[in-house]
Amino acid sequence: MSALIAIQDAVQDWLLQGDAGLAALVDAGDATHRLRIYADAYRLRLVEVLGNDFPATKAALGDAGFDALAADYLQAHPATQPSVRHFGHAFADWLALREAVPNDLSQLARFEWSQGECFDAADAPTLDIGHVAALPADAWPALRLRLQPCVRLHTLHCNAPALVEALVLGATLPALRAGAASHWLLWRQQGEVQWRRLDADEALALRAIAAGEPFAQLCERLDGLHGDGALRAASLLKRWLADGLLAAP
């Protein structure tokens, strides 16, 4: 191991675990003070990263409240990836386990994190009307549609999307509050993250596709709700093609 790598490892141990061994490598009488500057800067940077990834959550909590939670999260989930993009991956689940944090807040954080996942998701060829028109009639019952990698589905019990929308528009954020269950779709289209509320039957249909159910079974599910599942499936398929939600085979 080179001397540089040894020093880098020692710095990492200091930042993540407070290992005092690094102080012996600092040629100064005030080594602890000087090292503390780097440690504080490291933690403040990660708190800033969380604030950028969860702006509506931060706005709902207030700066002081969010920064305190972010500091606790850093202790519970030290960064493990070279890129800070992944640092907040467990933040929403971590919030959900905090007794003093309302469940609405973890739902808001999860909704915001999904936006980043949609933006970063891999591209896949898009199913279009040409693919659909080329399918023979006898292929439809067994057809298994595929969602684009960027698609995310959420069932929320709060008004999280209203806060995110207000932040995007630069409007005053409403108070975060609980509400009846609502279904939401997030996806990326032409490089922009989109989201919209779903009717219960569309949410059911998209989850069925995500589970790999064939088209005939999807129609049966919709038939139980509408009496003409095939017609409703055709209507939804038209919308999904327009939104670019489906991946080509």
Side-chain angles (χ1 to χ4, degrees), residues 32-87:
T32 300
H33 172 70
R34 295 174 67 183
L35 288 172
R36 177 55 57 190
I37 293 174
Y38 285 98
D40 289 346
Y42 169 76
R43 291 178 175 83
L44 289 172
R45 172 58 181 143
L46 288 179
V47 169
E48 180 185 13
V49 166
L50 278 185
N52 292 336
D53 286 340
F54 302 95
T57 305
K58 181 175 182 177
L61 278 167
D63 290 350
F66 182 86
D67 289 353
L69 277 176
D72 288 347
Y73 174 74
L74 174 57
Q75 292 296 319
H77 292 273
T80 59
Q81 300 292 327
S83 172
V84 294
R85 172 66 189 89
H86 309 288
F87 176 55

Coordinates of all heavy atoms in Angstrom, one line a residue, residues 32-87:
T32 N -6.0 18.4 16.1 CA -7.4 18.0 16.3 C -8.3 19.1 15.8 O -9.3 18.9 15.1 CB -7.6 17.8 17.8 OG1 -6.8 16.7 18.3 CG2 -9.1 17.5 18.0
H33 N -7.9 20.4 16.0 CA -8.7 21.5 15.6 C -8.7 21.6 14.0 O -9.8 21.8 13.4 CB -8.1 22.8 16.1 CG -8.8 24.0 15.5 ND1 -10.1 24.4 15.8 CD2 -8.3 25.0 14.6 CE1 -10.4 25.5 15.1 NE2 -9.3 25.9 14.4
R34 N -7.5 21.4 13.4 CA -7.5 21.4 12.0 C -8.2 20.3 11.3 O -8.9 20.5 10.3 CB -6.0 21.4 11.5 CG -5.2 22.6 12.0 CD -3.7 22.5 11.7 NE -3.5 22.5 10.2 CZ -2.3 22.4 9.7 NH1 -1.2 22.2 10.5 NH2 -2.1 22.4 8.4
L35 N -8.2 19.1 11.9 CA -8.9 18.0 11.4 C -10.4 18.2 11.5 O -11.2 17.8 10.7 CB -8.5 16.7 12.0 CG -7.1 16.2 11.7 CD1 -6.7 15.0 12.5 CD2 -7.1 15.8 10.2
R36 N -10.8 18.8 12.6 CA -12.2 19.0 12.9 C -12.8 19.9 11.8 O -14.0 19.8 11.4 CB -12.4 19.7 14.3 CG -13.8 20.1 14.6 CD -14.8 18.9 14.5 NE -14.4 17.8 15.3 CZ -14.9 16.6 15.3 NH1 -15.9 16.3 14.4 NH2 -14.5 15.6 16.1
I37 N -12.1 20.8 11.3 CA -12.5 21.7 10.2 C -13.0 20.8 9.0 O -14.0 21.0 8.4 CB -11.5 22.7 9.8 CG1 -11.2 23.7 10.9 CG2 -11.9 23.4 8.5 CD1 -10.1 24.6 10.6
Y38 N -12.1 19.8 8.6 CA -12.5 19.0 7.5 C -13.7 18.1 7.8 O -14.5 17.9 7.0 CB -11.3 18.1 7.1 CG -10.2 18.9 6.4 CD1 -9.1 19.3 7.1 CD2 -10.3 19.1 5.0 CE1 -8.1 20.1 6.4 CE2 -9.3 19.8 4.4 CZ -8.2 20.3 5.1 OH -7.2 21.0 4.4
A39 N -13.7 17.6 9.1 CA -14.8 16.7 9.4 C -16.2 17.5 9.4 O -17.2 17.0 8.9 CB -14.6 16.1 10.8
D40 N -16.1 18.7 9.9 CA -17.4 19.5 9.9 C -17.8 19.9 8.5 O -19.0 19.8 8.2 CB -17.1 20.8 10.7 CG -17.0 20.6 12.2 OD1 -17.4 19.4 12.6 OD2 -16.6 21.5 12.9
A41 N -16.8 20.2 7.6 CA -17.1 20.5 6.3 C -17.7 19.3 5.5 O -18.7 19.5 4.7 CB -15.9 21.0 5.5
Y42 N -17.2 18.1 5.8 CA -17.7 16.9 5.2 C -19.2 16.7 5.6 O -20.0 16.4 4.7 CB -16.9 15.7 5.7 CG -17.4 14.4 5.3 CD1 -17.4 13.9 4.0 CD2 -18.0 13.6 6.3 CE1 -17.8 12.6 3.8 CE2 -18.5 12.3 6.1 CZ -18.4 11.8 4.8 OH -18.9 10.6 4.5
R43 N -19.5 16.8 6.9 CA -20.8 16.6 7.3 C -21.8 17.7 6.8 O -22.9 17.4 6.4 CB -20.9 16.6 8.9 CG -20.2 15.3 9.4 CD -20.2 15.3 11.0 NE -19.6 14.1 11.5 CZ -18.3 13.8 11.6 NH1 -17.4 14.7 11.3 NH2 -17.9 12.6 12.1
L44 N -21.3 18.9 6.8 CA -22.2 20.0 6.3 C -22.5 19.8 4.8 O -23.6 20.1 4.4 CB -21.5 21.3 6.6 CG -21.5 21.8 8.0 CD1 -20.6 23.1 8.1 CD2 -22.9 22.1 8.6
R45 N -21.5 19.3 4.1 CA -21.7 19.1 2.7 C -22.8 18.0 2.5 O -23.7 18.1 1.6 CB -20.4 18.7 2.0 CG -20.6 18.2 0.6 CD -21.2 19.3 -0.3 NE -21.3 18.8 -1.7 CZ -22.3 19.1 -2.5 NH1 -23.3 19.9 -2.1 NH2 -22.3 18.6 -3.7
L46 N -22.8 16.9 3.2 CA -23.8 15.9 3.1 C -25.1 16.3 3.5 O -26.2 15.9 2.9 CB -23.3 14.6 3.9 CG -22.1 13.9 3.3 CD1 -21.8 12.7 4.1 CD2 -22.4 13.4 1.8
V47 N -25.2 17.1 4.6 CA -26.5 17.7 5.0 C -27.1 18.6 3.8 O -28.3 18.6 3.5 CB -26.4 18.5 6.3 CG1 -27.6 19.3 6.5 CG2 -26.1 17.6 7.4
E48 N -26.2 19.3 3.2 CA -26.6 20.1 2.0 C -27.1 19.3 0.9 O -28.1 19.6 0.2 CB -25.4 21.0 1.6 CG -25.7 21.9 0.4 CD -24.5 22.6 -0.2 OE1 -23.4 22.3 0.2 OE2 -24.7 23.5 -1.0
V49 N -26.4 18.2 0.6 CA -26.8 17.2 -0.4 C -28.3 16.7 -0.1 O -29.1 16.7 -1.0 CB -25.8 16.1 -0.5 CG1 -26.4 14.9 -1.4 CG2 -24.5 16.5 -1.1
L50 N -28.5 16.4 1.1 CA -29.9 15.9 1.4 C -30.9 17.0 1.2 O -32.0 16.7 0.7 CB -29.9 15.4 2.9 CG -29.4 14.0 3.2 CD1 -29.7 13.7 4.7 CD2 -30.1 13.0 2.3
G51 N -30.6 18.2 1.6 CA -31.5 19.3 1.4 C -31.8 19.5 -0.1 O -32.9 19.9 -0.5
N52 N -30.8 19.3 -0.9 CA -31.0 19.5 -2.4 C -31.9 18.3 -3.0 O -32.6 18.5 -3.9 CB -29.7 19.5 -3.1 CG -28.9 20.8 -2.8 OD1 -29.5 21.8 -2.5 ND2 -27.6 20.7 -2.9
D53 N -31.7 17.1 -2.4 CA -32.5 16.0 -2.9 C -33.9 16.0 -2.3 O -34.8 15.4 -2.9 CB -31.8 14.7 -2.5 CG -30.5 14.4 -3.3 OD1 -30.4 14.9 -4.4 OD2 -29.7 13.6 -2.8
F54 N -34.1 16.6 -1.2 CA -35.4 16.6 -0.5 C -35.9 18.0 -0.2 O -36.1 18.4 1.0 CB -35.4 15.8 0.7 CG -35.0 14.3 0.5 CD1 -33.7 13.9 0.7 CD2 -35.9 13.4 0.1 CE1 -33.3 12.6 0.5 CE2 -35.6 12.1 -0.1 CZ -34.3 11.7 0.1
P55 N -36.0 18.9 -1.2 CA -36.3 20.3 -0.9 C -37.7 20.5 -0.3 O -37.8 21.4 0.6 CB -36.2 21.0 -2.3 CG -36.4 19.9 -3.3 CD -35.8 18.7 -2.6
A56 N -38.7 19.8 -0.7 CA -40.0 20.0 -0.1 C -40.0 19.4 1.3 O -40.7 20.0 2.2 CB -41.1 19.3 -1.0
T57 N -39.4 18.3 1.5 CA -39.3 17.8 2.9 C -38.6 18.8 3.8 O -39.0 19.0 5.0 CB -38.5 16.5 2.9 OG1 -39.1 15.6 2.0 CG2 -38.5 15.8 4.3
K58 N -37.5 19.4 3.3 CA -36.8 20.4 4.1 C -37.7 21.6 4.4 O -37.7 22.2 5.5 CB -35.5 20.9 3.4 CG -34.7 21.9 4.1 CD -33.4 22.2 3.4 CE -32.6 23.2 4.2 NZ -31.3 23.5 3.6
A59 N -38.4 22.1 3.4 CA -39.3 23.2 3.5 C -40.4 22.9 4.6 O -40.8 23.8 5.3 CB -40.0 23.6 2.2
A60 N -40.9 21.7 4.5 CA -42.0 21.3 5.5 C -41.5 21.2 6.9 O -42.2 21.6 7.8 CB -42.6 19.9 5.1
L61 N -40.2 20.9 7.1 CA -39.6 20.8 8.4 C -39.1 22.1 8.9 O -39.0 22.3 10.1 CB -38.5 19.7 8.4 CG -38.9 18.3 8.5 CD1 -37.7 17.4 8.2 CD2 -39.4 18.0 10.0
G62 N -38.7 22.9 8.0 CA -37.9 24.1 8.4 C -36.4 23.8 8.4 O -36.0 22.6 8.6
D63 N -35.6 24.8 8.2 CA -34.1 24.5 8.0 C -33.6 23.8 9.3 O -32.8 22.8 9.1 CB -33.4 25.8 7.8 CG -33.7 26.4 6.4 OD1 -34.3 25.7 5.6 OD2 -33.3 27.6 6.2
A64 N -33.8 24.3 10.4 CA -33.2 23.8 11.7 C -33.7 22.3 11.9 O -32.9 21.5 12.2 CB -33.6 24.6 12.9
G65 N -35.0 22.1 11.7 CA -35.5 20.7 11.9 C -35.0 19.8 10.9 O -34.6 18.6 11.3
F66 N -34.9 20.2 9.7 CA -34.3 19.3 8.7 C -32.8 19.0 8.9 O -32.4 17.8 8.8 CB -34.5 19.9 7.3 CG -34.0 19.0 6.2 CD1 -34.8 18.0 5.6 CD2 -32.7 19.1 5.7 CE1 -34.4 17.2 4.6 CE2 -32.2 18.3 4.7 CZ -33.1 17.3 4.1
D67 N -32.1 20.0 9.2 CA -30.6 19.8 9.4 C -30.4 18.9 10.6 O -29.4 18.1 10.6 CB -30.0 21.2 9.7 CG -29.9 22.0 8.4 OD1 -30.3 21.5 7.3 OD2 -29.5 23.2 8.5
A68 N -31.2 19.0 11.7 CA -31.0 18.1 12.8 C -31.3 16.7 12.4 O -30.5 15.8 12.8 CB -31.9 18.5 14.0
L69 N -32.3 16.4 11.7 CA -32.6 15.1 11.2 C -31.6 14.6 10.2 O -31.2 13.4 10.3 CB -34.0 15.0 10.5 CG -35.2 14.9 11.4 CD1 -36.5 14.9 10.6 CD2 -35.2 13.6 12.2
A70 N -31.1 15.4 9.4 CA -30.1 15.0 8.4 C -28.8 14.6 9.1 O -28.1 13.7 8.7 CB -29.8 16.2 7.4
A71 N -28.4 15.4 10.2 CA -27.2 15.0 10.9 C -27.4 13.6 11.6 O -26.4 12.8 11.6 CB -26.9 16.1 12.0
D72 N -28.6 13.4 12.1 CA -28.8 12.1 12.7 C -28.8 11.0 11.7 O -28.3 9.9 11.9 CB -30.2 12.0 13.4 CG -30.2 12.9 14.7 OD1 -29.1 13.2 15.2 OD2 -31.3 13.2 15.2
Y73 N -29.3 11.3 10.5 CA -29.3 10.3 9.4 C -27.9 9.9 9.0 O -27.5 8.8 8.7 CB -30.1 10.8 8.2 CG -30.0 10.0 6.9 CD1 -30.7 8.8 6.8 CD2 -29.2 10.3 5.9 CE1 -30.6 8.0 5.7 CE2 -29.1 9.6 4.7 CZ -29.8 8.4 4.6 OH -29.7 7.6 3.5
L74 N -27.0 11.0 8.9 CA -25.6 10.7 8.6 C -24.9 9.8 9.6 O -24.1 8.9 9.2 CB -24.9 12.1 8.6 CG -23.4 12.0 8.3 CD1 -23.0 11.3 7.0 CD2 -22.8 13.4 8.3
Q75 N -25.3 9.9 10.9 CA -24.7 9.0 11.8 C -25.2 7.6 11.6 O -24.5 6.6 11.8 CB -25.1 9.5 13.3 CG -24.4 10.8 13.7 CD -22.9 10.7 13.7 OE1 -22.4 9.7 14.2 NE2 -22.2 11.7 13.2
A76 N -26.5 7.4 11.3 CA -27.1 6.1 11.1 C -26.7 5.5 9.8 O -26.6 4.3 9.7 CB -28.6 6.2 11.2
H77 N -26.5 6.3 8.7 CA -26.2 5.8 7.4 C -25.0 6.6 6.8 O -25.2 7.5 5.9 CB -27.5 6.0 6.5 CG -28.6 5.1 6.9 ND1 -28.7 3.8 6.4 CD2 -29.7 5.3 7.7 CE1 -29.8 3.3 6.9 NE2 -30.4 4.1 7.7
P78 N -23.8 6.3 7.2 CA -22.7 7.0 6.6 C -22.6 6.7 5.1 O -23.0 5.7 4.6 CB -21.5 6.3 7.3 CG -22.0 5.8 8.6 CD -23.4 5.4 8.3
A79 N -22.1 7.7 4.4 CA -22.0 7.5 2.9 C -21.1 6.4 2.6 O -20.0 6.2 3.2 CB -21.5 8.8 2.3
T80 N -21.5 5.5 1.6 CA -20.7 4.4 1.3 C -20.4 4.4 -0.2 O -19.7 3.5 -0.7 CB -21.5 3.1 1.6 OG1 -22.8 3.1 0.8 CG2 -21.8 2.9 3.1
Q81 N -20.9 5.3 -1.0 CA -20.7 5.4 -2.4 C -19.8 6.6 -2.8 O -19.9 7.6 -2.1 CB -22.0 5.5 -3.2 CG -23.0 4.3 -3.0 CD -22.4 3.0 -3.6 OE1 -21.8 3.0 -4.6 NE2 -22.7 1.9 -2.9
P82 N -19.0 6.5 -3.8 CA -18.2 7.6 -4.2 C -19.0 8.8 -4.6 O -18.6 10.0 -4.4 CB -17.4 7.1 -5.4 CG -17.4 5.6 -5.3 CD -18.7 5.3 -4.6
S83 N -20.2 8.6 -5.2 CA -21.0 9.7 -5.6 C -22.0 10.0 -4.5 O -22.7 9.1 -3.9 CB -21.8 9.4 -6.9 OG -22.7 10.4 -7.2
V84 N -22.2 11.3 -4.2 CA -23.2 11.7 -3.2 C -24.6 11.6 -3.7 O -25.6 11.7 -2.9 CB -23.0 13.2 -2.7 CG1 -21.6 13.3 -2.0 CG2 -23.1 14.1 -3.9
R85 N -24.8 11.3 -5.0 CA -26.1 11.1 -5.5 C -26.9 10.0 -4.8 O -28.1 10.0 -4.7 CB -26.0 10.7 -7.0 CG -27.3 10.3 -7.7 CD -28.3 11.5 -7.7 NE -29.6 11.0 -8.1 CZ -30.6 10.6 -7.3 NH1 -30.4 10.6 -6.0 NH2 -31.8 10.3 -7.7
H86 N -26.2 9.0 -4.2 CA -26.8 7.8 -3.6 C -27.0 8.0 -2.1 O -27.6 7.1 -1.5 CB -26.0 6.6 -3.9 CG -25.7 6.4 -5.3 ND1 -26.6 6.0 -6.3 CD2 -24.5 6.5 -6.0 CE1 -26.1 5.9 -7.5 NE2 -24.8 6.2 -7.3
F87 N -26.5 9.1 -1.6 CA -26.5 9.2 -0.1 C -27.9 9.2 0.5 O -28.0 8.6 1.6 CB -25.8 10.5 0.3 CG -25.7 10.8 1.7 CD1 -25.2 9.9 2.6 CD2 -26.3 12.0 2.2 CE1 -25.2 10.2 4.0 CE2 -26.3 12.3 3.6 CZ -25.7 11.4 4.5

